[in-house]
Each structure stands twice: as C-alpha cells, then as structure tokens.
C-alpha cells in the first residue's frame, strides 16, 4: 500500500506499447523498446508535474519470445529508470 504524505498526491500513468503498432522487434532492439516504454509513461508524469517514484511493468508476450529478448527489454526499462 502506498500512502503519500499529507498534502501530496499519488499519480499513476499506464501506456501500452504494442508490437507491430508502436514497434517491431524485427527492426528495433528490445532494449530500445523497453526504454521507450518507460519514457512514454515518464513523459505523462512530467506533463502532470509529478516526480517518478517507481514503476510497474506488464509484458504480454508469446511463448516463443526468446528469453534473451525479454531480458533485454527489461534491461532497457532499468537503464532508463536509472537515468530518472
């Protein structure tokens, strides 16, 4: 449970990136896709004047997605999180 201090609000943002709509694994590195996923949400928070506290990621992927690609995607999210 998250309880912001008195006088503060908790802001949540959720944007989905969909393969073959927002990116293509055939032409984009999974690490870059992960970075873009976090950036999209950080941008929404910045537009509301909010500071990032943490993130939650959900991945809907086919069973055939190579583990290496999934790990690279998560690494991209973590790389971008470290910058912010």
């Amino acid at each position: 449970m998250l309880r912001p201090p008195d006088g503060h609000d908790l802001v949540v943002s959720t944007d989905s990136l969909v393969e073959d709509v927002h990116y293509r694994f055939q032409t984009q590195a999974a690490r870059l896709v992960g970075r873009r996923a976090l950036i999209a949400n950080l941008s929404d928070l910045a537009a509301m004047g909010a500071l990032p506290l943490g993130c939650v990621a959900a991945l809907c992927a086919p069973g055939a997605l190579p583990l290496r690609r999934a790990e690279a995607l998560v690494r991209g999210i973590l790389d971008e999180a470290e910058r912010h």
Side-chain angles (χ1 to χ4, degrees):
M1 179 181 308
L2 293 173
R3 287 193 184 121
D6 288 341
H8 290 83
D9 294 317
L10 185 61
V11 179
V12 177
S13 172
T14 304
D15 281 339
S16 298
L17 270 67
V18 178
E19 187 176 13
D20 295 327
V21 175
H22 301 107
Y23 69 91
R24 288 189 171 80
F25 275 136
Q26 295 86 351
T27 59
Q28 291 180 292
R31 198 169 186 156
L32 177 62
V33 174
R35 291 184 69 201
R36 286 185 58 211
L38 187 58
I39 288 169
N41 288 281
L42 290 173
S43 174
D44 289 349
L45 294 176
M48 293 182 269
L51 298 174
L53 172 67
C55 72
V56 175
L59 175 63
C60 298
L65 181 72
L67 180 58
R68 220 179 317 190
R69 185 169 283 164
E71 289 173 338
L73 195 141
V74 171
R75 183 73 252 163
I77 292 171
L78 295 174
D79 287 348
E80 200 58 40
E82 288 174 3
R83 293 183 63 216
H84 298 279

